[in-house]
Amino acid sequence: DIQMTQSPLSLSAFVGDRVTITCRASQNIDKYLNWYQRKPGEAPKLLIYAASNLQSGAPSRFSGSGSGTDFTLTISSLHPEDGATYYCQESHSAPWTFGQGTKVEIK
Amino acid sequence: QVQLVQSGAEVKKPGSSVKVSCKASGGIFSSSTITWVRHAPRQGLEWVGSIVPIFGTAKYAQKFQGRVTIIADEATSTVYMEFSSLTSDDTAFYYCANVVGGDWFDPWGQGTLLTVSS
């Protein structure tokens, strides 16, 4: 199985800050990497698919980059409603695996 | 646009079974792929299995092989996930989701909380 490792596991930032979350795959997954946002009490929502494509309806302050084994999710300017846990997911091969999640707290 | 609505919360005893449903609307159910993911307390997201209703065959994460069965009812556009031999470790939110394109998940159902307790 492919292992996905996110860092950091938690962070705290101010509104307006630029936030970066990384995700590393245990083997080459090309661009088969997706990002989800999960808020307490809600189902996860797709933010970025295929490493760098913004899902329809997701705010343009979210962006994704990377290929191979190293990927990044960036929030260009943190908004209060961005307080959530963010997960990466590889879709290269089953069993599709997720990172441990990064909890983003708004200071 | 596909929408997924799941059945309500369940409380089960250890050793018992549970069946959770996921009803789809707004899309072409038969040609979709529906997947199940769980989120246990203090754990990350974990893929359970998937089914393509038109084919009727499901694939499962090896961890759950033998304990989980996913079936689809095309007549009602509903996918069911049945889990047997439940333990407290199976306490979690269970989500169904539509699999799109290169195997990303969108949208997700609202989630079903399963609590396993004696």
Side-chain angles (χ1 to χ4, degrees):
Chain A
D1 299 358
I2 299 172
Q3 306 301 316
M4 306 301 294
T5 304
Q6 285 182 235
S7 63
L9 297 183
S10 66
L11 65 89
S12 183
F14 290 100
V15 170
D17 282 353
R18 182 181 182 88
V19 170
T20 298
I21 299 168
T22 64
C23 179
R24 175 164 288 178
S26 60
Q27 66 186 68
N28 185 350
I29 58 170
D30 195 11
K31 285 184 175 282
Y32 291 94
L33 190 283
N34 313 300
W35 291 96
Y36 301 87
Q37 177 194 62
R38 184 173 187 259
K39 295 183 179 180
E42 297 182 10
K45 289 182 181 176
L46 178 67
L47 284 176
I48 301 286
Y49 62 92
S52 59
N53 296 276
L54 186 68
Q55 170 67 355
S56 174
S60 58
R61 61 182 179 274
F62 290 94
S63 64
S65 64
S67 67
T69 60
D70 293 306
F71 301 86
T72 299
L73 174 70
T74 300
I75 309 173
S76 60
S77 178
L78 195 65
H79 284 207
E81 61 267 31
D82 298 338
T85 301
Y86 296 84
Y87 295 90
C88 62
Q89 175 238 338
E90 64 83 12
S91 52
H92 180 271
S93 53
W96 299 306
T97 51
F98 294 83
Q100 314 97 302
T102 297
K103 186 174 183 178
V104 174
E105 178 192 74
I106 310 297
K107 283 184 181 175
Chain B
Q1 178 75 358
V2 174
Q3 289 186 307
L4 302 173
V5 178
Q6 299 181 222
S7 50
E10 300 268 10
V11 180
K12 295 291 182 180
K13 301 269 189 213
S16 66
S17 299
V18 69
K19 195 171 187 177
V20 181
S21 68
C22 172
K23 184 172 177 60
S25 62
I28 305 174
F29 177 75
S30 292
S31 59
S32 301
T33 297
I34 302 294
T35 197
W36 288 90
V37 174
R38 78 177 189 181
H39 191 189
R42 297 171 295 282
Q43 302 288 322
L45 296 168
E46 194 171 28
W47 177 69
V48 175
S50 297
I51 189 167
V52 181
I54 195 172
F55 297 129
T57 53
K59 57 181 179 181
Y60 307 106
Q62 188 171 9
K63 175 178 179 177
F64 304 112
Q65 196 89 29
R67 279 210 306 135
V68 65
T69 302
I70 299 174
I71 59 172
D73 181 347
E74 289 188 68
T76 59
S77 299
T78 302
V79 171
Y80 297 91
M81 179 195 66
E82 185 166 20
F83 241 104
S84 62
S85 303
L86 293 169
T87 72
S88 58
D89 290 340
D90 295 316
T91 294
F93 276 98
Y94 288 78
Y95 296 97
C96 62
N98 185 47
V99 183
V100 185
D103 295 333
W104 49 86
F105 305 157
D106 180 71
W108 296 56
Q110 84 277 19
T112 297
L113 176 60
L114 168 64
T115 303
V116 183
S117 174
S118 54

